[in-house]
Amino acid sequence: MKAEIKPRIDLENRTSLEAVIPLRTPFIINIDPSDRCNFQCKFCPTGDRKLMRKTTGRNHGFMDFELYKKIIDDICAFDDKVKVIRLYKDGEPLLNPHFADMVRYAKQSGCCERVDTTTNASLLTSELSLAIIEAGLDRINISVEGVNENQYMDFSRYRIDFPKFVENIRFFFEHRKQCEMVVKINGDILTEEEKQQFYGIFGDITDGIFVESIMNCWPTFEQSKVTVNESRGIYANQIKEVLVCPYVFYSFAVNSDGTYSLCFLDWKRTLILGNVKDTPVKEFWNGKELKEYQRLFLKGTRKSHPVCAECGQLRQGAPDDLDDYREDLLGKLTMGVI
């Protein structure tokens, strides 16, 4: 196998947040090309279409391209380049017919160091692959939901031509130029034999490959159709809960309708802090609403918050731990340093 076994995030070569925050420019901005998905995966709230019909603020659809250009133009006002524009949040990004244009506009703007995405790759034809590659995408994370058609139908309620799906991924890999590819799968639905089959199918047609685990990451969404893995975190990391959410100190999300979400896991739109149509991106990043949330976490009061209290991401998937530094950082915040 040629691919390196590694998760889709770097757990080893991370910046020590306590040494660099406050950040005048965020590291990561999630922008959602589409809040809808063609899959109905058992573990994902977006896949529960009945739930989505009942959920306030969801099912907006595709992000308007003119709105997207405003967001990118706003980001160019930061003092430094954003490290990552992440074209992904709630839905399947490739459903947006302007996805390649979105990549190109961000890359040509010079506002970021990298543009990446996460996709189920079911729509990844050779034509679309070439368009995305030529647009300058820097990284693509591909979520595989089974090793055959039957597993896809059972887990994602999607009828896939699996050999064609694999061939399309192979095509992207062979033409990828500078674009890094990581293929990952939920290993909790696989036997050990099927895990080896996964490595055998994709191990030579990707740069990185990984078997993840299911966790209950979305706040206020209860996993009822799958079993949450309690023995290891999503990236095979040790399960350890942190009190301070690290994400609010280096990232935020823009939903497909232009609203700002505090968190990239805000599937229900209960952490809305404004709209890019009214508040420019840099102004939002430096605004009091975001600072109040940073203060809440540093005070150690997350468990009193109705949404953030039971966040599974901060137990099974948080890559950074600021707990030992919260008093010092809170002091800086109180003195107006942050």
Side-chain angles (χ1 to χ4, degrees), residues 146-162:
V147 294
N148 55 57
E149 290 90 342
N150 291 336
Q151 284 185 339
Y152 263 83
M153 181 56 66
D154 176 66
F155 192 73
S156 301
R157 295 183 63 187
Y158 187 85
R159 191 174 303 282
I160 198 166
D161 182 338
F162 192 75

Side-chain angles (χ1 to χ4, degrees), residues 71 89 103 133 196 225-226 239 243 261 268 295-296:
I71 296 168
K89 182 176 178 283
V103 173
I133 293 165
Q196 295 306 312
K225 298 177 182 178
V226 295
I239 293 178
L243 192 59
S261 275
K268 201 176 182 181
R295 185 176 287 109
L296 177 149

Side-chain angles (χ1 to χ4, degrees), residues 107 117 198 215 225 284:
K107 292 292 293 183
T117 193
F198 166 69
M215 67 175 183
K225 298 177 182 178
F284 167 77

